[in-house]
Amino acid sequence: MSQHSRSKVTSRKKVILGVSALAASGLAVGLLVTPSATAGGTDADEALEQSRTAFADTVAAKDAAPKAKTLAAAADDATVVSNITVNGGDSARVGTANTQTITVKWTVSGGTKLYGSHASIWRGTDTEDGLEQFLNSEQFDADTDPCVASDGATYHCTATFKIDPQSLLTNEDAGAWKVRLWAITDATPDVDNDNAKTWYLKRWSRLSNNAAPEPVAKGKTITITGKLERANWDTHKYAGYTQQTVRLQERSLTGSYATTSSHITGTGSLAGVEKQTRTATTDRCYRYKFEGTTTTPPVTATGDCVDVR
């Protein structure tokens, strides 16, 4: 585990589940949480253990509870998790200062009763020896059921995660993350998946654009200058994104933008900067466009129209 991950705040709670009391109450989920005995919060390994403990205890609660289905009927079904999304797609973007909410949604089906389901997000090569970050959801920490029943045996679930770049992230956290997701119904087998979905946490990007001079005499030179920047989670500032392809797009005053050329952003004192020239012939609009990478989202600059006289 990297040094930085040990200083990150994950969950400050430890799962304690009273299996017999849960079974007797008939509650679908009964996660009781108390402040952790570990001062100053817990690390990624403990947060993962909390999730695994909750899964194991909910399985035990299922086993201890009155059977909602006969064994034969349960064997005909299987717990199914589907429609997993992160922020409505497969990525999330975070800037330098503001806390962002990441939303994971999924559907559970296959049984007539849901005993429990939760999602967590994590980064690393695996959960045994290569864990770097692991975050349980706000619902998990608050002992709140994230799932709502609909259509009888189908449950729609939502988990949210608050990501504060000031306290949680460094630049190495940009890139591929995974969703750990478990679900337990009266069907068998249960679902317990460390990599239910891969998604990408990205450093927020921005792209400036200016076409000058305005207005310009016909036949003169127009200079289109832009700068591609992205969030730096180490310094909590924005910095030029070097050696990246940006596309210069143009259109008439009433037309649609089309790419006319592609260019590589500058380095050093011109980090992230791009500058191109065009000859003024008629009124025209210009903008730069960046397609994005696995660590940085795409961004399109606001177009700048030039009056040619």
Side-chain angles (χ1 to χ4, degrees):
M1 180 182 301
S2 65
Q3 183 62 37
H4 88 273
S5 68
R6 296 187 180 276
S7 65
K8 303 299 183 183
V9 175
T10 53
S11 169
R12 297 196 178 192
K13 299 182 178 179
K14 177 167 53 182
V15 174
I16 302 175
L17 189 61
V19 173
S20 60
L22 174 69
S25 69
L27 294 176
V29 179
L31 301 179
L32 306 178
V33 291
T34 57
S36 171
T38 303
T42 62
D43 65 8
D45 293 304
E46 185 174 345
L48 170 61
E49 186 59 29
Q50 291 171 5
S51 177
R52 287 179 171 170
T53 299
F55 171 79
D57 285 350
T58 306
V59 169
K62 170 188 173 180
D63 292 341
K67 298 298 184 287
K69 303 176 69 173
T70 67
L71 292 177
D76 291 336
D77 296 330
T79 302
V80 176
V81 173
S82 60
N83 304 322
I84 305 169
T85 63
V86 179
N87 277 7
D90 64 355
S91 67
R93 59 187 69 183
V94 179
T96 60
N98 295 331
T99 296
Q100 297 293 322
T101 298
I102 293 176
T103 302
V104 177
K105 293 187 177 183
W106 68 99
T107 301
V108 180
S109 58
T112 61
K113 179 178 181 179
L114 177 67
Y115 286 88
S117 184
H118 276 286
S120 306
I121 57 176
W122 65 279
R123 182 181 73 81
T125 55
D126 61 75
T127 57
E128 299 301 328
D129 301 314
L131 189 64
E132 298 290 343
Q133 291 265 31
F134 192 96
L135 302 173
N136 285 315
S137 70
E138 293 183 294
Q139 290 72 28
F140 182 92
D141 290 343
D143 186 23
T144 301
D145 190 343
C147 302
V148 177
S150 67
D151 301 327
T154 300
Y155 297 82
H156 297 288
C157 311
T158 301
T160 54
F161 305 81
K162 297 292 187 183
I163 305 296
D164 180 3
Q166 297 278 334
S167 63
L168 185 65
L169 301 177
T170 66
N171 287 340
E172 67 183 61
D173 289 315
W177 283 57
K178 302 174 182 67
V179 174
R180 167 174 163 77
L181 199 151
W182 56 266
I184 302 167
T185 72
D186 54 352
T188 55
D190 302 316
V191 172
D192 185 17
N193 193 340
D194 278 346
N195 188 6
K197 185 177 184 65
T198 297
W199 60 284
Y200 293 86
L201 183 63
K202 300 186 177 185
R203 296 159 61 180
W204 201 293
S205 58
R206 61 191 189 188
L207 180 56
S208 63
N209 179 69
N210 182 62
E214 301 176 59
V216 63
K218 188 173 183 178
K220 296 296 184 179
T221 297
I222 299 171
T223 301
I224 307 100
T225 305
K227 185 174 183 180
L228 176 64
E229 298 179 294
R230 64 174 177 169
N232 186 315
W233 293 335
D234 293 336
T235 65
H236 306 123
K237 298 178 181 179
Y238 280 85
Y241 196 8
T242 64
Q243 297 290 290
Q244 298 302 308
T245 299
V246 293
R247 308 185 192 283
L248 178 60
Q249 299 186 323
E250 304 178 30
R251 69 168 174 84
S252 64
L253 294 183
T254 57
S256 300
Y257 278 105
T259 298
T260 57
S261 58
S262 297
H263 311 278
I264 303 298
T265 57
T267 60
S269 61
L270 297 177
V273 173
E274 180 51 43
K275 183 181 293 186
Q276 296 296 315
T277 60
R278 293 290 187 268
T279 299
T281 57
T282 187
D283 293 353
R284 201 156 180 81
C285 304
Y286 305 88
R287 72 181 187 186
Y288 285 108
K289 182 180 179 67
F290 172 61
E291 300 292 348
T293 65
T294 57
T295 62
T296 309
V299 60
T300 301
T302 302
D304 193 8
C305 300
V306 177
D307 179 14
V308 178
R309 299 179 180 178

